[in-house]
Amino acid sequence: MKDKPRFTFIDLFAGVGGFHQALESLGGECIAFSEINRDCVEVYKNNFPGAEDIGDINKWKEKGLPKFDVLCGGFPCQPFSKAGRQDGFKDERGNFFDVIIDILKEHKECKFIILENVRNLSDKTENWAHIQERLQELDFIVTEEALVLSPCQFGDPRIPQIRERVYILGIRKGIRDKKRLSNGCIHLEELGLQNLPKKGSLRNGDAWNILNSEVVDKKYNLDDKKVKILNIWDEFRKGTKYEPSNVPIWLDYFGYKLDDNEFYKKKDRNGKVYKELPEWKQHFVDKNRKFYLKHKGFIDGWIEKHNMLEEHSVYKKFEWNCGADYKFLKDTIIQFRHSGIRAKRPNFFPALVAINNTPVIWDKSKNLYRYITPREAANLQSFKPDYKFGKNDSQTYKQLGNAVNVEVVKILTEKLLGFAKDDWNKKEDK
């Protein structure tokens, strides 16, 4: 006979099941989920065949929802993301929060809410105030301030990822234990999170903890062209004794074979000359120009030798975010970006994102550069070792980039449940 679950939950904007794994591991049972991306739905059902698929959440009234204790979900982030216009709740996609409110109005049996969104959601005071006000109107006690957290802050070597996200936690007033939660808001002190290290102070993580020990398929090996460009930039670093100065190198702002008069009158890719640029950009240009003139003899020969302005024109920008602690690209975590290459310290991986800039590492066991595998990306998001993904790696990277970190959600959910009376699932204190 199946044990009675500790609680029931609905999983909205479910993706491939990050919330589901976290809440299920705490004794929860998912009774319904909503996700419109069919590739995600296929993965979700493959891992959780018993969960009811309610389809498009905009049609929830037609479909109907069973009773539940917890509502969770990472509602769409485009209205708040830096990649968009950041119109917030003015953007029609911001209305998904209103859908959540409508569901909570009808399902007064819901006792806990756990939501996630991008860091930018909290940047505008009006966005956070809107969220607080709407949830408090429904008798939820929520966090006083936006809860911005990154997996690496929790000190667990299994989740070495810098990935700031906003978490929204709420508990119905009627079931809270006033000894555990005495105020009208949830504070960091009550969550036990007031002493988490700041992102900028993190130094001791070990990114290699997420790598798999088994043989990695050769399809993840970096192609010859990209290996070549990494070797070219390593040559540049050695030849110029390049030390980072908080300003990335960009060949467009060297002024190759131009005198100062020609260089400062030349228009950039946006049709602006130096004096028309904002102050921060002028500082950037000056740093690059000064560096070029200091190492002109080497750089001119290096540019010509590798035909950098034509053959490798998409890799003209180089960011070394490793300080003086590391000497070679093989010791860093690398990303191939639209404008060039970025190298970061191997303490923590940069956030997995939905676009395709999968981190590259030097695999010492194979003596070559390769991408981290989908399974290793899943490790970064704390997904179960036996989690089953689809056969399309590109889709899997994207799905994981959109997912929540399972371990972070698990930690927060456990703390939230701890604010309730011991018999919360039996009755409410009206």
Side-chain angles (χ1 to χ4, degrees):
M1 182 177 179
K2 185 178 179 181
D3 292 337
K4 182 180 178 181
R6 183 182 178 189
F7 57 87
T8 58
F9 66 94
I10 60 169
D11 191 3
L12 307 183
F13 320 105
V16 290
F19 274 104
H20 192 131
Q21 291 174 80
L23 272 63
E24 189 175 69
S25 71
L26 295 172
E29 178 184 356
C30 180
I31 54 176
F33 79 96
S34 171
E35 174 56 52
I36 60 172
N37 183 289
R38 300 322 299 173
D39 294 319
C40 289
V41 170
E42 183 179 347
V43 173
Y44 197 102
K45 287 184 174 180
N46 197 25
N47 287 278
F48 309 112
E52 179 186 356
D53 179 5
I54 60 173
D56 187 348
I57 195 59
N58 288 306
K59 301 177 181 178
W60 69 273
K61 286 188 177 180
E62 301 172 22
K63 185 76 175 179
L65 289 173
K67 290 186 176 182
F68 55 90
D69 298 313
V70 182
L71 181 150
C72 65
F75 58 102
C77 66
Q78 292 95 330
F80 312 102
S81 173
K82 285 185 178 180
R85 296 176 306 193
Q86 302 180 57
D87 288 336
F89 292 104
K90 297 176 184 178
D91 189 315
E92 62 180 14
R93 293 168 297 181
N95 291 336
F96 279 116
F97 180 73
D98 291 335
V99 174
I100 292 171
I101 293 297
D102 289 341
I103 292 172
L104 292 173
K105 284 180 179 177
E106 185 159 319
H107 286 267
K108 299 190 186 317
E109 81 282 357
C110 176
K111 303 167 184 67
F112 305 92
I113 50 175
I114 308 157
L115 304 174
E116 179 259 11
N117 211 288
V118 292
R119 168 73 174 80
N120 291 56
L121 177 114
S122 63
D123 287 349
K124 292 185 178 180
T125 305
E126 60 267 30
N127 287 339
W128 184 244
H130 177 80
I131 290 170
Q132 278 187 311
E133 182 180 346
R134 298 299 301 279
L135 292 174
Q136 288 170 345
E137 287 173 353
L138 298 176
D139 280 339
F140 280 97
I141 297 174
V142 297
T143 45
E144 182 178 39
E145 298 179 355
L147 197 60
V148 181
L149 299 169
S150 179
C152 56
Q153 291 179 279
F154 290 86
D156 188 333
R158 295 171 299 170
I159 48 176
Q161 182 184 186
I162 295 177
R163 181 188 178 86
E164 285 190 320
R165 290 295 185 271
V166 169
Y167 295 90
I168 304 163
L169 309 180
I171 178 174
R172 289 271 190 192
K173 289 181 181 178
I175 67 161
R176 61 144 171 193
D177 184 325
K178 294 182 181 179
K179 293 180 181 178
R180 303 169 187 166
L181 189 62
S182 58
N183 298 304
C185 289
I186 300 171
H187 303 90
L188 287 174
E189 290 77 12
E190 289 147 342
L191 289 165
L193 302 177
Q194 71 275 22
N195 294 321
L196 288 180
K198 301 293 185 183
K199 186 187 75 168
S201 66
L202 296 167
R203 290 291 182 271
N204 300 317
D206 185 2
W208 311 133
N209 286 322
I210 62 102
L211 302 183
N212 281 355
S213 57
E214 67 261 23
V215 175
V216 175
D217 193 295
K218 64 181 181 180
K219 68 179 179 178
Y220 300 110
N221 296 350
L222 200 63
D223 65 64
D224 291 343
K225 182 176 180 180
K226 288 185 175 178
V227 171
K228 181 179 180 180
I229 197 63
L230 292 183
N231 291 333
I232 288 172
W233 276 112
D234 248 349
E235 180 184 322
F236 174 90
R237 291 197 70 243
K238 294 172 189 174
T240 60
K241 297 189 169 111
Y242 170 66
E243 292 293 343
S245 56
N246 297 322
V247 177
I249 291 295
W250 201 335
L251 302 191
D252 286 350
Y253 296 108
F254 275 4
Y256 171 64
K257 289 194 172 180
L258 298 178
D259 61 33
D260 278 352
N261 185 53
E262 293 171 316
F263 173 68
Y264 286 105
K265 289 183 177 180
K266 182 181 178 181
K267 292 182 179 180
D268 67 8
R269 60 174 60 187
N270 297 313
K272 294 183 180 297
V273 297
Y274 175 84
K275 65 180 182 180
E276 296 173 324
L277 300 175
E279 186 176 343
W280 70 266
K281 190 70 171 288
Q282 289 183 2
H283 176 74
F284 176 90
V285 172
D286 288 338
K287 284 274 188 178
N288 272 269
R289 178 64 174 174
K290 183 178 179 180
F291 185 88
Y292 168 72
L293 293 176
K294 181 179 179 180
H295 302 282
K296 186 177 184 302
F298 172 82
I299 291 175
D300 283 354
W302 175 82
I303 288 175
E304 292 161 8
K305 174 183 175 182
H306 299 295
N307 197 16
M308 289 299 295
L309 300 181
E310 294 184 20
E311 183 179 351
H312 302 295
S313 60
V314 296
Y315 302 119
K316 291 188 291 185
K317 188 176 180 181
F318 182 77
E319 299 179 68
W320 181 264
N321 300 153
C322 308
D325 300 340
Y326 300 91
K327 300 299 181 184
F328 307 103
L329 277 168
K330 292 178 180 179
D331 299 324
T332 71
I333 294 170
I334 303 161
Q335 285 179 297
F336 282 84
R337 304 174 66 83
H338 293 307
S339 57
I341 295 162
R342 177 180 291 172
K344 301 186 76 69
R345 299 172 187 269
N347 294 349
F348 301 94
F349 276 90
L352 288 174
V353 293
I355 59 176
N356 188 19
N357 61 349
T358 307
V360 171
I361 55 107
W362 174 260
D363 189 326
K364 294 179 181 179
S365 65
K366 299 179 72 173
N367 202 35
L368 50 75
Y369 288 108
R370 68 170 176 84
Y371 294 100
I372 64 170
T373 67
R375 179 58 255 173
E376 290 165 341
N379 293 344
L380 268 183
Q381 292 289 50
S382 306
F383 273 53
K384 297 188 297 184
D386 59 349
Y387 209 78
K388 300 183 287 287
F389 294 96
K391 295 181 179 180
N392 186 313
D393 285 347
S394 181
Q395 285 182 0
T396 299
Y397 287 125
K398 180 178 179 179
Q399 289 162 355
L400 287 165
N402 280 323
V404 293
N405 185 280
V406 175
E407 190 64 24
V408 172
V409 172
K410 180 180 177 180
I411 291 170
L412 296 179
T413 303
E414 185 68 18
K415 290 180 181 293
L416 181 64
L417 296 176
F419 293 138
K421 299 174 183 178
D422 293 335
D423 61 348
W424 64 267
N425 56 349
K426 295 179 182 178
K427 62 181 179 180
E428 288 194 22
D429 179 10
K430 301 294 185 184

